[in-house]
Amino acid sequence: AAIPLSASTGQGEVGWRRVSESPLVLVHEKFFSKEECEELMQIALESGRMQEALVYSGHRKDAFQRDDQVRSNSHMYVEREDELKSSLLQRVIARMHHAAKIPERLGEKLQIARYQEGERYEMHHDSGPEVGRARPATLLVYLNDVEKGGETVFPLTREVLLQCRPIHHQGDQVRYGVDHCCHVQPPELLTIQARQGRAVLFFNHLDGKKDARAVHASCPVLAGQKWVAQRWFQFEKTDL
Ligand SMILES: O=C(O)CCC(=O)C(=O)O
Ligand SMILES: [Fe+2]
């Protein structure tokens, strides 16, 4: 069953709480402070490097393209030079690795992403061992409160996953997956609301093998903006 995570359920919670066993998903209510969240958004904006997000769309490692049917937000990556200049970046990255129990050398560049009204990210899996991008876990932290929408969702049943597929036909109507799914809000859709400082840690592999149940999406933002910081972890160091 889904665990409703309303704005209020988390009040007073300390540390990590397991909100789903399969897929394995943990939530922390105050992983970053308000000040840390605000400084991270500032760093992203001031970098001048916010750009439209791409999606992997082929069988070659460099086949990344813009695809508004799948993903429509913007983001930037924190570089080594940014980290050297900012004790805040060093501190929050170390905290993310400590929480995931994965050494820092296995982290990809920290990503800071922004979704504006209407922007979303369709159902996907973060790990692609078949294309050389195996990622055992993902840690994301919401940097602001989203007025409406922008939840992170995990379908807990096959039926709901089918209901949420990126584009499908239902009778003679074309349905756009996550938009439709977030609107319908089936009970078997694990839904985590974006709240400043809240973190979601989820595991893309189980005993080393890709866990198909770790498929997830970002609901469209309906009002306001959504900012998230994300860290992906690897099994072995590659150049990402
Ligand atoms: O923004 C979110 O809630 C999820 C984003 C996501 O899944 C991704 O960027 O891989
Ligand atoms: Fe993802």
Side-chain angles (χ1 to χ4, degrees):
I3 294 106
L5 291 170
S6 67
S8 58
T9 52
Q11 297 306 312
E13 292 273 354
V14 179
W16 291 97
R17 127 186 102 98
R18 195 175 283 213
V19 299
S20 165
E21 287 287 338
S22 175
L24 182 53
V25 183
L26 296 97
V27 171
H28 189 300
E29 291 305 326
K30 213 69 214 151
F31 192 64
F32 287 178
S33 70
K34 180 179 174 55
E35 293 70 31
E36 287 168 342
C37 290
E38 273 158 18
E39 199 169 326
L40 287 168
M41 290 186 279
Q42 206 57 41
I43 287 171
L45 284 173
E46 283 172 3
S47 73
R49 302 199 303 268
M50 288 297 289
Q51 54 179 358
E52 295 187 328
L54 306 178
V55 291
Y56 181 74
S57 61
H59 300 289
R60 288 174 33 232
K61 283 190 184 175
D62 56 350
F64 288 91
Q65 286 179 8
R66 183 70 176 167
D67 186 351
D68 281 330
Q69 298 280 22
V70 175
R71 183 179 192 185
S72 52
N73 66 327
S74 302
H75 63 202
M76 59 80 71
Y77 291 98
V78 168
E79 300 292 339
R80 192 76 201 133
E81 303 82 80
D82 304 317
E83 290 178 34
L84 293 174
K85 283 185 292 196
S86 164
S87 62
L88 168 119
L89 282 172
Q90 294 167 23
R91 186 169 79 234
V92 299
I93 289 170
R95 192 181 308 151
M96 292 174 108
H97 282 266
H98 186 257
K101 300 189 175 70
I102 296 176
E104 281 200 40
R105 69 187 170 79
L106 297 180
E108 294 178 21
K109 289 173 184 173
L110 185 70
Q111 183 198 75
I112 302 179
R114 177 188 60 204
Y115 300 76
Q116 282 168 327
E117 240 171 77
E119 295 181 346
R120 48 94 177 79
Y121 191 175
E122 295 287 344
M123 287 292 165
H124 64 278
H125 200 287
D126 281 357
S127 187
E130 61 283 358
V131 291
R133 296 169 63 82
R135 292 162 158 172
T138 304
L139 175 47
L140 70 87
V141 188
Y142 306 109
L143 301 180
N144 71 324
D145 291 335
V146 180
E147 249 174 83
K148 196 156 182 248
E151 302 90 342
T152 305
V153 289
F154 295 82
L156 298 177
T157 62
R158 187 167 166 73
E159 291 66 39
V160 171
L161 175 59
L162 292 176
Q163 244 183 331
C164 303
R165 274 174 307 167
I167 298 171
H168 64 282
H169 298 269
Q170 201 169 63
D172 49 11
Q173 275 189 313
V174 179
R175 290 292 192 183
Y176 293 88
V178 80
D179 186 7
H180 168 65
C181 203
C182 296
H183 180 72
V184 173
Q185 292 191 325
E188 301 82 12
L189 186 67
L190 174 64
T191 302
I192 302 164
Q193 288 173 353
R195 290 283 171 266
Q196 191 172 59
R198 177 180 278 170
V200 186
L201 172 61
F202 55 94
F203 293 85
N204 302 310
H205 287 242
L206 274 182
D207 297 326
K209 274 188 60 189
K210 182 166 166 174
D211 180 8
R213 294 181 57 83
V215 166
H216 57 279
S218 170
C219 292
V221 169
L222 301 176
Q225 287 195 341
K226 170 186 177 182
W227 283 87
V228 287
Q230 287 191 93
R231 189 79 164 176
W232 289 282
F233 306 101
Q234 302 183 333
F235 286 104
E236 301 162 30
K237 191 62 206 147
T238 66
D239 57 358
L240 289 169

